[in-house]
Amino acid sequence: MPDFEPEISQNYCPPAPLPPESRLHWIRLLATLKRNPLECWRAEFFREPIARVRLPFADALLVHDPAAIRRVLIDNAGNYRKDPIQRRILANGLADGLLSVEDARWEAQRRMLAPLFARRTVTTFTGAMLTAVDRLTERWCNLGQGAAVDVAAEMALLTLNVLALTIFSDGIAGDYDEFRDAMNAYFAVIGRIGVLDLLGVPQSVPRPGGGRLRRTMTYFEGIIDRIIEARRDRLAATPAGEPPADLLTLLLRALDPSTGQSMSLTEVRSNILTFLSAGHETTANALSWSIFLLSQSSPWRARVREEAARELAGPVEGVADRLVVTRAVVEEALRLYPPIAALSRMAKGPDRLGGVAVEPRTLIVIAPYVLHRHLLLWDQPGTFDPSRFLPEQRSRVGRFAYLPFGIGPRICIGASFALQEATIALAALTRRFETELLPDAKVWPSQKITLRPEHGLPMRVTPRDCGERPVLRDEKKRA
Ligand code: HEM
């Protein structure tokens, strides 16, 4: 393995808003919250363990003290429920899925869904993940030398394909383009948060674009229902046969251990929509930021490339675990640009956090974006340095200082899935392509539900060795 050569890009500080020193006037605050909430985080929030803020629609406690985070998300988690704004965003179509349900219903669903995302299940999806990357590799190779592409849009397509292949491995019963268009329209309208939502105006008050939202939802949900029905028929017709080994089969066969009941059609549909929405853009952003950061650091690019050449040529089994450098880059990208930039909870009853009294109905905000750049918790927090996540240093990262997937009972159920997918895809793409930012590209983080590059990621993509057949295909045969 060649020595890692430090160079100036080792101290690279990727783009991020400069936190304002003083409080924004409420009109500006509201406008900034709507445009890009990331630009609202004040400098003091990155220095203080706990800060109280007055928002136009509520008071909030910003909690970035590890002990207090532990209390909110683990030790006293029963006292903190998902807050109403978050629930309003999730209400569209996802209301009966794991992300939104609460209390006994959540407990039952979490128990039923845990085996779908257990590490041993996720490793069986490696082949599907490689196939999706393989397709993208072929497509990029066919674009020729130095084609300009929006890598952010390409990653959204890739992660969608991975989900389609792992949820519906036998296809989607119909036109894939129609499915993709319906789904993109669906994602474009659900989860849109407007000023009325921020102000806490009840859902009974019609929102602009509400009619379009309902039409788009009905159309896409109809497509999902048809796929579920077809699979139910197939499983019923061949109960003893080989069922498609995918998330849909596992979902339809999942039983509540205490009642022996399976999920209703509404719950199955809502969970499929939850997996698609929770797992699509988040993982795409993790990959986009990883590719961007690597494009700015030739030493880390070289290390990933060298590791990918070695490990992707080996057996498919366990490949993601062997890609330790690549995974460290993904984890560092998730630190600097956590796709879910803020988590929020609403206190049900009184509590104390780090000596601060919490009144019932206080909004608690734990922002991974702030936490991951907190001056009390990180050395040189603004610097891109994946070595923080290499095995020899990983134990120095505090358990409550790094929460891209949350923590506690409601930790992301898809964390292993996402990390495996992003690691494999980053290694394979870095190995096969030079990705260079277009000269006039402006890369800026923007929080629109997820933390994404505001203007996409326009890059020049140059195949490194497309003379030969796509590498992954050959590797799969060898495994
Ligand atoms: C890099 C990619 C991802 C990131 C950063 C991410 C982040 C998160 C976070 C922070 C939470 C906790 C929210 C809270 O506590 O309020 C969460 C929950 C969740 N995530 Fe992910 N996620 C990712 C990928 C995925 C994938 C691939 C799936 C499924 C295919 C998924 C499904 C879910 C579900 C169902 C929940 C709700 C869990 C529950 O409440 O029990 N996520 N995710």
Side-chain angles (χ1 to χ4, degrees):
M1 182 164 125
D3 280 339
F4 174 42
E5 285 175 37
E7 56 162 63
I8 31 164
S9 53
Q10 209 184 351
N11 289 327
Y12 170 62
C13 280
L18 190 65
E21 281 297 336
S22 56
R23 168 190 314 256
L24 301 178
H25 182 273
W26 75 267
I27 297 181
R28 189 150 161 237
L29 177 65
L30 209 58
T32 314
L33 272 176
K34 189 163 159 44
R35 189 172 42 82
N36 185 5
L38 223 53
E39 294 175 20
C40 296
W41 300 113
R42 294 206 300 269
E44 65 174 282
F45 303 157
F46 295 84
R47 294 189 296 255
E48 299 296 331
I50 297 191
R52 198 179 280 280
V53 282
R54 295 195 77 83
L55 298 170
F57 44 91
D59 275 3
L61 215 51
L62 306 188
V63 177
H64 299 113
D65 166 46
I69 292 176
R70 185 192 170 111
R71 182 154 180 86
V72 174
L73 296 180
I74 301 183
D75 296 341
N76 197 19
N79 187 46
Y80 296 93
R81 54 170 56 233
K82 296 213 168 182
D83 81 85
I85 293 182
Q86 205 179 1
R87 294 178 65 75
R88 223 166 287 144
I89 295 173
L90 298 176
N92 299 321
L94 312 184
D96 298 291
L98 186 67
L99 204 55
S100 318
V101 290
E102 296 267 3
D103 305 322
R105 225 174 142 206
W106 170 79
E107 266 175 43
Q109 283 205 10
R110 183 89 194 195
R111 271 201 309 266
M112 293 167 88
L113 295 177
L116 276 69
F117 292 97
R119 255 176 71 85
R120 67 178 178 285
T121 316
V122 170
T123 49
T124 66
F125 297 139
T126 306
M129 291 172 179
L130 286 169
T131 301
V133 178
D134 199 0
R135 284 182 194 161
L136 179 70
T137 302
E138 276 187 32
R139 206 159 53 72
W140 278 10
C141 281
N142 290 336
L143 293 175
Q145 298 288 315
V149 295
D150 177 359
V151 167
E154 295 286 313
M155 291 308 108
L157 204 61
L158 171 66
T159 57
L160 192 60
N161 283 339
V162 167
L163 284 165
L165 288 169
T166 47
I167 300 175
F168 316 112
S169 65
D170 60 347
I172 45 129
D175 181 354
Y176 183 76
D177 289 340
E178 182 200 353
F179 177 84
R180 207 187 51 216
D181 291 348
M183 177 139 109
N184 283 335
Y186 184 81
F187 287 135
V189 291
I190 66 158
R192 202 178 268 174
I193 184 156
V195 173
L196 295 183
D197 295 313
L198 286 174
L199 292 173
V201 174
Q203 283 299 287
S204 48
V205 176
R207 272 29 182 190
R212 186 170 148 236
L213 168 68
R214 269 187 303 281
R215 280 193 302 281
T216 311
M217 279 176 59
T218 310
Y219 179 64
F220 185 56
E221 287 171 12
I223 297 181
I224 298 279
D225 284 357
R226 285 200 295 282
I227 298 175
I228 297 172
E229 287 305 335
R231 178 64 65 83
R232 271 192 169 151
D233 292 347
R234 183 168 169 192
L235 294 180
T238 54
E242 261 311 276
D246 58 18
L247 287 171
L248 181 55
T249 295
L250 293 172
L251 194 52
L252 288 170
R253 294 200 158 165
L255 298 177
D256 182 337
S258 52
T259 63
Q261 296 263 304
S262 54
M263 284 189 190
S264 66
L265 173 65
T266 309
E267 287 176 319
V268 171
R269 183 212 303 130
S270 208
N271 273 304
I272 289 176
L273 291 172
T274 298
F275 302 160
L276 289 171
S277 34
H280 165 223
E281 209 177 284
T282 45
T283 316
N285 288 329
L287 264 168
S288 299
W289 289 115
S290 301
I291 292 175
F292 163 69
L293 290 166
L294 273 192
S295 77
Q296 304 301 301
S297 170
S298 55
W300 283 102
R301 208 160 58 242
R303 288 187 86 176
V304 168
R305 208 160 259 161
E306 188 269 336
E307 178 180 78
R310 188 180 64 241
E311 301 303 341
L312 289 174
V316 168
E317 202 188 329
V319 66
D321 293 335
R322 298 194 306 270
L323 293 165
V324 285
V325 174
T326 317
R327 187 180 158 123
V329 171
V330 171
E331 292 199 274
E332 177 69 341
L334 286 169
R335 181 185 72 82
L336 286 162
Y337 301 111
I340 305 295
L343 310 176
S344 50
R345 296 291 190 270
M346 177 74 83
K348 285 200 263 184
D351 198 9
R352 282 194 85 74
L353 295 173
V356 177
V358 177
E359 300 297 325
R361 300 195 52 74
T362 303
L363 182 67
I364 306 291
V365 178
I366 299 166
Y369 180 80
V370 177
L371 184 73
H372 294 176
R373 292 166 180 264
H374 206 285
L375 295 163
L376 297 177
L377 301 171
W378 297 89
D379 261 353
Q380 297 196 299
T383 305
F384 171 61
D385 180 9
S387 62
R388 309 173 202 266
F389 294 99
L390 288 176
E392 53 276 22
Q393 291 194 50
R394 188 69 173 75
S395 60
R396 284 198 225 149
V397 174
R399 188 166 160 230
F400 294 91
Y402 181 65
L403 300 179
F405 296 103
I407 200 164
R410 300 212 70 148
I411 191 171
C412 176
I413 203 168
S416 298
F417 185 104
L419 278 174
Q420 177 178 304
E421 175 184 355
T423 303
I424 290 174
L426 183 64
L429 294 175
T430 307
R431 181 185 177 190
R432 294 300 310 259
F433 298 98
E434 286 296 348
T435 43
E436 188 193 353
L437 213 54
L438 291 189
D440 53 351
K442 180 173 175 346
V443 177
W444 192 246
S446 168
Q447 188 185 344
K448 294 272 156 56
I449 309 289
T450 58
L451 202 166
R452 58 179 80 158
E454 184 167 11
H455 314 284
L457 205 50
M459 296 188 113
R460 200 172 294 294
V461 172
T462 306
R464 296 182 68 234
D465 51 1
C466 280
E468 59 187 67
R469 296 184 66 210
V471 169
L472 292 168
R473 191 161 297 235
D474 293 343
E475 281 156 1
K476 270 182 281 173
K477 275 196 201 134
R478 285 187 38 200

